[in-house]
């Protein structure tokens, strides 16, 4: 059996080596390192894949979130609601822009924004909602979009973990994650579902005017050369990264399918253990299982809840058995020094406070084989039984 890795980018590279090496060589020979044709072509290809009018490539996912917010009509002190259970980048950019982050709890089964908590957190100062499509599955966008419309709020989707996932509305329409709100942001960090070989990110929107604004912000607020109309940033996707992404984008659906296959095998093996809660799908078919037809979860992470209080001991046991695993995330954001706020009550975060003690994410990537999955699930059962 090959060594088990949390993410296996070497094996994935072996399959696309020739294509990637050739396109990188072309960039090197053309010397069009910044804003070259690779970046433009990738932008167009991603727009077509997502079915979104505008993709604005940028330097990383954190910048993508920040620039998305800079492009909206938000002022210091405006409240922006996001979740307590996410990577810090989501709330960091809200703070950096001197907006006021308001953290809310998540659902215990999907790990995504709790819509009732969202409703309760809205005040006259609320201006935007940032749902995070955590671990590869969309938040409840049907409800979130309705609430946003009723209260006239912007929706900025943090889609760093769910690129390629579909969301199906009650009326049957299906949209790609990141393309439903006013603006979406994603990351091409190497371990993300669509990762480059360095840092990269992108912003998505269907709004022509906003797209124009954002294209200026990523480039020093310039709309005409050396005319700076707004305060911008320097945030570019470089051509070499775009070349890697162009090689990988046509494979994204098959990559996501491989992740789903691995997830299905994990769940089949672990679902009956009384100390384990396997991931719940918010599938349009209503079936809480991982099927071939739905694309509602792309398993950036495959995350279990260990309910007998032995999560940390299990992590140690797995690590000692040669199985890497991760705890995403071990500390709620509302308890992080940088994001404490006197207005919060511990009682408002009961789910996140529990999840941080129970969650464990298993190895998940496109090259997991059956032997490895069997070894991992056997070890987990050996420990918990
Ligand atoms: C990875 C990630 C980001 C940030 O992306 P970077 O490219 O690393 O800046 C933001 N939000 C979430 C939920 C992420 O997982």
């Amino acid at each position: 059996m090959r060594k088990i890795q949390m993410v296996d980018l070497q094996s994935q590279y072996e399959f696309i080596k020739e294509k990637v090496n050739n396109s990188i060589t072309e960039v090197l020979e053309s010397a069009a390192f910044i804003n070259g044709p690779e970046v433009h072509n990738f932008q167009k290809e991603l727009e077509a894949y997502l079915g979104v009018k505008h993709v604005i490539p940028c330097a990383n996912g954190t910048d993508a979130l920040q620039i998305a917010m800079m492009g909206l009509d938000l002022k210091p002190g405006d409240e922006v609601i996001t979740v307590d259970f996410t990577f810090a980048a989501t709330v960091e950019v809200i703070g950096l822009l001197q907006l006021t982050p308001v953290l809310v709890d998540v659902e215990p089964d999907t790990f995504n924004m709790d819509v009732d908590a969202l409703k309760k957190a809205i005040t006259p100062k609320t201006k935007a909602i940032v749902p995070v499509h955590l671990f590869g599955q969309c938040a409840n966008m049907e409800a979130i979009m309705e609430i946003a419309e009723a209260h006239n709020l912007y929706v900025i989707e943090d889609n760093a973990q769910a690129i390629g996932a579909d969301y199906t509305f009650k009326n049957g329409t299906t949209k790609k994650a990141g393309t439903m709100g006013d603006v979406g942001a994603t990351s091409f960090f190497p371990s993300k579902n669509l990762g480059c070989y360095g840092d990269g990110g992108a912003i998505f929107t269907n709004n022509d005017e906003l797209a124009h604004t954002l294209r200026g912000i990523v480039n020093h607020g310039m709309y005409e050369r050396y005319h700076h109309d707004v305060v911008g940033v320097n945030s570019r996707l470089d051509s070499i990264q775009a070349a890697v992404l162009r090689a990988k984008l046509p494979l994204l659906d098959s990559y996501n399918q491989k992740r789903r296959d691995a997830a299905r095998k994990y769940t089949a093996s672990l679902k009956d253990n009384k100390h384990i809660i396997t991931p719940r799908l918010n599938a349009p078919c209503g079936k809480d299982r991982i099927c071939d037809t739905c694309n509602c979860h792309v398993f950036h992470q495959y995350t279990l809840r260990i309910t007998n209080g032995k999560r940390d001991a299990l992590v140690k046991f797995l690590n000692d058995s040669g199985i890497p695993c991760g705890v995403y995330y071990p500390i709620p954001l509302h308890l992080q020094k940088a994001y404490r706020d006197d207005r919060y009550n511990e009682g408002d975060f009961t789910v996140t406070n529990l999840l941080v003690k129970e969650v464990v994410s298993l190895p998940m990537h496109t090259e997991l084989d059956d032997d490895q999955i069997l070894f991992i699930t056997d070890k987990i059962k050996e420990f918990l039984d």
Side-chain angles (χ1 to χ4, degrees):
M1 190 177 68
R2 278 185 299 133
K3 186 169 175 284
I4 298 174
Q5 299 189 60
M6 195 65 191
V7 173
D8 185 355
L9 292 172
Q10 283 105 336
S11 305
Q12 193 192 59
Y13 171 61
E14 286 305 316
F15 287 101
I16 52 173
K17 192 171 188 164
E18 210 182 298
K19 197 170 171 193
V20 168
N21 289 8
N22 288 342
S23 5
I24 292 180
T25 306
E26 270 174 43
V27 174
L28 298 181
E29 286 169 355
S30 74
F33 298 118
I34 300 288
N35 278 337
E38 289 295 304
V39 177
H40 184 74
N41 290 335
F42 171 65
Q43 175 196 319
K44 291 289 160 206
E45 286 157 9
L46 189 58
E47 285 167 355
Y49 172 83
L50 293 171
V52 72
K53 270 174 98 176
H54 305 281
V55 165
I56 298 105
C58 65
N60 57 68
T62 310
D63 274 7
L65 283 166
Q66 178 182 328
I67 294 158
M69 289 180 208
M70 287 170 79
L72 299 171
D73 180 25
L74 299 172
K75 293 183 188 56
D78 285 350
E79 293 178 1
V80 178
I81 300 174
T82 191
V83 283
D84 194 28
F85 191 62
T86 174
F87 182 54
T90 321
V91 65
E92 177 178 60
V93 297
I94 300 172
L96 270 174
L97 296 175
Q98 299 188 4
L99 306 166
T100 304
V102 176
L103 299 170
V104 298
D105 213 355
V106 294
E107 299 174 335
D109 46 6
T110 64
F111 310 124
N112 278 327
M113 183 176 274
D114 180 320
V115 168
D116 291 325
L118 163 65
K119 282 187 200 153
K120 275 196 222 137
I122 293 172
T123 75
K125 285 185 167 175
T126 308
K127 289 285 149 42
I129 310 169
V130 186
V132 181
H133 304 320
L134 202 71
F135 301 151
Q137 170 166 249
C138 286
N140 183 348
M141 289 304 287
E142 181 109 36
I144 291 170
M145 294 308 293
E146 275 171 22
I147 293 166
E149 206 160 307
H151 295 267
N152 202 17
L153 308 175
Y154 293 118
V155 175
I156 302 139
E157 297 175 68
D158 181 342
N159 191 35
Q161 301 193 2
I163 195 157
D166 289 329
Y167 183 83
T168 306
F169 288 85
K170 284 195 202 101
N171 69 8
T173 49
T174 292
K175 288 192 178 165
K176 285 280 181 210
T179 68
M180 294 170 273
D182 296 281
V183 57
T186 204
S187 163
F188 305 123
F189 186 80
S191 63
K192 301 283 155 106
N193 289 37
L194 178 63
C196 55
Y197 295 160
D199 274 310
I203 311 155
F204 321 138
T205 184
N206 284 307
N207 179 325
D208 298 338
E209 207 179 315
L210 178 60
H212 175 75
T213 304
L214 296 171
R215 283 190 212 290
I217 293 173
V218 297
N219 189 24
H220 303 290
M222 273 196 291
Y223 296 89
E224 203 183 318
R225 205 150 193 201
Y226 299 122
H227 293 251
H228 303 275
D229 295 358
V230 293
V231 177
V233 294
N234 169 18
S235 185
R236 298 183 275 238
L237 179 72
D238 70 69
S239 304
I240 290 181
Q241 301 310 332
V244 174
L245 291 165
R246 284 192 77 200
K248 287 174 95 174
L249 180 60
L251 299 167
L252 178 59
D253 284 341
S254 70
Y255 285 163
N256 284 341
Q257 186 60 45
K258 284 183 182 173
R259 288 172 178 272
R260 261 198 304 282
D261 289 344
R264 188 191 305 108
K265 288 169 194 163
Y266 275 141
T267 293
S269 171
L270 298 171
K271 69 179 182 351
D272 295 326
N273 190 294
K274 62 179 185 298
H275 302 306
I276 297 177
I277 300 176
T278 52
R280 208 205 79 190
L281 268 65
N282 218 342
C285 57
K287 290 182 192 127
D288 180 16
R289 64 181 168 81
I290 305 161
C291 57
D292 287 320
T293 46
C294 305
N295 185 36
C296 59
H297 201 319
V298 295
F299 289 98
H300 176 61
Q301 299 294 348
Y302 181 88
T303 303
L304 298 173
R305 287 176 57 191
I306 306 299
T307 56
N308 65 352
K310 296 198 173 151
R311 191 270 316 269
D312 290 337
L314 172 66
V315 168
K316 183 171 184 316
F317 175 79
L318 292 177
N319 287 339
D320 290 347
S321 312
I323 301 168
C325 51
V327 172
Y328 311 116
Y329 295 92
I331 304 169
L333 287 174
H334 80 274
L335 294 178
Q336 301 280 2
K337 253 193 214 163
Y339 303 114
R340 281 187 196 156
D341 188 323
D342 291 341
R343 292 176 304 172
Y344 294 142
N345 280 312
E346 277 313 297
D348 293 336
F349 301 107
T350 47
V351 176
T352 301
N353 284 340
L354 180 67
L355 291 178
V356 295
K357 297 195 186 88
E358 290 190 348
V359 289
V360 57
S361 298
L362 302 184
M364 176 50 79
H365 52 78
T366 55
E367 316 302 323
L368 271 177
D369 61 39
D370 288 358
D371 290 350
Q372 292 176 317
I373 293 173
L374 187 68
F375 181 77
I376 295 165
T377 53
D378 279 353
K379 283 288 173 194
I380 293 171
K381 287 191 272 193
E382 179 189 323
F383 179 82
L384 290 176
D385 283 345

